[in-house]
Amino acid sequence: MTQVKMTVNGKSVSGEVEGRTLLSTFIRDTLGLTGTHVGCDTAQCGACTLHVNGKSVKSCNMFALEADGADVATIEGMADADGTLNTIQQAFQDHHGLQCGFCTPGMVMTAAALLKENPSPSEAEIRAYLSGNLCRCTGYHNIVKAIMAASGQDVGQIAAE
Amino acid sequence: MYAFDLERPTTLADAQAALKSDEAQPLSGGQTLIPTLKQRLAMPEKLVSLTAIAELQGITKEGDTLTIGGATCHADVAADGSYPALSALAGQIGDPHVRNRGTIGGSLANNDPSACYPSAALASGAAIVTDRREIASDDFFTGMFETALDEGEIVTSVRFPIPERAAYVKFDQPASRFALVGVFVAKTADGVRVAVTGASEGGVFRWAEAEAALSSDFSPAAIEGLTVPSDDMIGDIHGTKDYRAHLVGVITKRAVAAAG
Ligand SMILES: Cc1cc2nc3c(=O)[nH]c(=O)nc-3n(C[C@H](O)[C@H](O)[C@H](O)COP(=O)(O)OP(=O)(O)OC[C@H]3O[C@@H](n4cnc5c(N)ncnc54)[C@H](O)[C@@H]3O)c2cc1C
Ligand code: FES
Ligand code: FES
């Protein structure tokens, strides 16, 4: 076992891990931050997406030790301390960007990464950026709409299927 | 996953020392290796991470040569833009999350028959620089998932001569987003090189007939009527051997058109 230290949602944390301990396992099992979901555990679905040093990664496909010393952001750090949703989360609620909600933490973290890189993405750019995030419920339309709305753009042109 | 030790050296010298033991293996972005470990298809005793080594990171351009550190991630190459066709290729690998972790050295060392980077290295006539020697791309790719690398040898950088014109066109396998067929075309003063990925059982290959035709007439029409034999094409649920052989011609034409 090796000691690993990182900052998660602004708080300094540490714990013991094995070489093979995944970042998703450390976040969920050691830190108890179960908002990061594990859907496929094979780097396909993106439910486990979080940010490491400002970059989105699939935490089921990275070892916890690789995040030693890093600044990590998870879905738990998105809303304000009093529970007020941030702009992206609120847009997901307003535009019905979720049904079962399983993919949602990964979708919100991905949307946050996209809007940081590209504050006014087109529909095509949003869809391309979501290529590593699967949703089995919504058919993606309302997720795309929510991200469009969160970026302050008109959602009228997105088909309402 | 079987248990293993994970070391994270900060210098190349320490990584080399850590890789001396028999059952040690480099870990770069982990985007291929971690899924492989989860399937218990590999059983290293020790993984030596290359991600904390500053000298393996970064992109530098000197004249018409672009040098990319072995542990540079796909997203950084995509954002660079000094070799536009290469940046465009990097920006189409997998998805944004994969591009933030996966690296050029890992991709070349792995030599997946459907991976994108091997076609860029081969078509550009890149040099793969290791901690021991320099390997020409023509000698580097030796078969599906096989390269000229020795045990524990580390790809430290890749040196690309930037061609006059180049383009990569990828026909995606939509579920995996790897190339069902991908073609990289590069035109230099010395002629044209065409490298095909995704298609052959032998991994990435140069298409000599197309190169000869394009060297005298760099236009999509020059490919008309040229075919690759379908015998050693990959045949699977995503496409038959004949389908892939056909796609090689179609995608090569598109790549030439895109290179302008
Ligand atoms: C969902 C998904 C989609 C993907 N889509 C694509 C795609 O469209 N196109 C594509 O080309 N790839 C794709 N990939 C693969 C991705 O590009 C990988 O990142 C890449 O193939 C391996 O690079 P890595 O840095 O992750 O290497 P790792 O997984 O860390 O290592 C791979 C192998 O290379 C060895 N190795 C790593 N670095 C070095 C080095 N510097 N020197 C010597 N040996 C080394 C390791 O020991 C291991 O055997 C995808 C992956 C995923 C998970
Ligand atoms: S759980 Fe990590 S990508 Fe699906
Ligand atoms: S809302 Fe159910 S998987 Fe996306």
Side-chain angles (χ1 to χ4, degrees):
Chain A
M1 300 288 261
T2 315
Q3 182 82 5
V4 67
K5 266 181 153 171
M6 60 189 88
T7 306
V8 177
N9 302 327
K11 273 197 238 131
S12 163
V13 300
S14 62
E16 296 269 301
V17 295
E18 289 185 80
R20 62 181 167 176
T21 306
L22 297 166
L23 182 56
S24 52
T25 309
F26 180 73
I27 293 286
R28 288 176 53 84
D29 298 357
T30 309
L31 302 183
L33 296 173
T34 52
T36 297
H37 290 170
V38 174
C40 64
D41 201 28
T42 55
Q44 304 297 319
C45 76
C48 65
T49 303
L50 44 71
H51 299 182
V52 175
N53 294 329
K55 306 274 186 194
S56 64
V57 303
K58 290 172 174 169
S59 60
C60 77
N61 213 25
M62 176 171 176
F63 294 120
L65 277 174
E66 291 279 271
D68 193 29
D71 189 8
V72 175
T74 72
I75 189 69
E76 285 86 352
M78 288 282 119
D80 289 347
D82 68 358
T84 310
L85 300 182
N86 79 1
T87 312
I88 297 170
Q89 292 171 307
Q90 190 58 53
F92 269 69
Q93 190 180 75
D94 295 344
H95 294 274
H96 304 282
L98 61 148
Q99 288 179 23
C100 80
F102 195 85
C103 70
T104 314
M107 290 290 180
V108 169
M109 296 313 287
T110 302
L114 166 63
L115 297 183
K116 202 173 78 173
E117 268 176 45
N118 180 356
S120 295
S122 65
E123 178 178 349
E125 286 169 338
I126 296 173
R127 289 187 185 275
Y129 209 91
L130 294 178
S131 60
N133 292 75
L134 303 183
C135 174
R136 299 302 295 190
C137 301
T138 64
Y140 301 97
H141 279 76
N142 289 348
I143 294 175
V144 176
K145 254 190 184 172
I147 298 173
M148 211 53 168
S151 71
Q153 302 184 83
D154 177 24
V155 298
Q157 13 21 340
I158 296 172
E161 280 163 40
Chain B
M1 267 183 278
Y2 296 108
F4 51 80
D5 291 329
L6 176 56
E7 287 187 28
R8 224 166 160 246
T10 53
T11 66
L12 182 58
D14 287 348
Q16 287 175 302
L19 282 166
K20 284 245 157 64
S21 73
D22 268 0
E23 304 299 325
Q25 193 180 342
L27 166 73
S28 196
Q31 300 304 289
T32 295
L33 186 51
I34 296 175
T36 310
L37 291 166
K38 285 181 181 176
Q39 291 174 295
R40 295 192 162 186
L41 295 174
M43 213 175 127
E45 268 170 26
K46 175 161 70 174
L47 290 186
V48 180
S49 166
L50 305 178
T51 61
I53 304 173
E55 58 206 288
L56 297 183
Q57 298 280 346
I59 306 173
T60 48
K61 185 174 179 243
E62 269 174 57
D64 285 335
T65 304
L66 192 70
T67 306
I68 303 176
T72 306
C73 71
H74 308 329
D76 287 351
V77 177
D80 179 67
S82 1
Y83 180 173
L86 186 69
S87 291
L89 172 148
Q92 289 171 55
I93 294 177
D95 57 60
H97 322 308
V98 168
R99 295 195 287 274
N100 282 334
R101 295 294 305 162
T103 67
I104 189 165
S107 178
L108 295 178
N110 195 51
N111 193 18
D112 187 302
S114 304
C116 300
Y117 267 130
S119 68
L122 191 56
S124 309
I128 289 92
V129 184
T130 77
D131 58 333
R132 300 170 200 181
R133 57 190 165 142
E134 199 175 298
I135 309 169
S137 57
D138 280 316
D139 304 323
F140 185 81
F141 304 105
T142 54
M144 188 187 263
F145 295 111
E146 302 212 341
T147 68
L149 292 173
D150 290 328
E151 208 69 29
E153 188 169 3
I154 302 171
V155 174
T156 52
S157 68
V158 188
R159 238 181 24 236
F160 289 91
I162 304 176
E164 289 165 9
R165 294 194 219 163
Y168 177 65
V169 173
K170 170 179 172 183
F171 192 90
D172 288 38
Q173 197 279 86
S176 76
R177 291 179 301 280
F178 275 85
L180 192 63
V181 168
V183 176
F184 200 107
V185 175
K187 182 177 186 301
T188 66
D190 299 334
V192 177
R193 288 169 67 113
V194 177
V196 180
T197 188
S200 167
E201 297 271 7
V204 68
F205 69 94
R206 282 175 68 184
W207 185 15
E209 290 86 349
E211 291 184 355
L214 290 167
S215 292
S216 49
D217 170 18
F218 193 70
S219 76
I223 306 297
E224 210 63 62
L226 297 184
T227 52
V228 289
S230 60
D231 318 354
D232 31 279
M233 293 289 115
I234 299 170
D236 58 19
I237 54 164
H238 307 298
T240 60
K241 287 169 181 277
D242 287 341
Y243 179 67
R244 277 197 173 74
H246 177 70
L247 266 186
V248 171
V250 173
I251 301 301
T252 302
K253 273 193 222 166
R254 289 188 194 169
V256 174

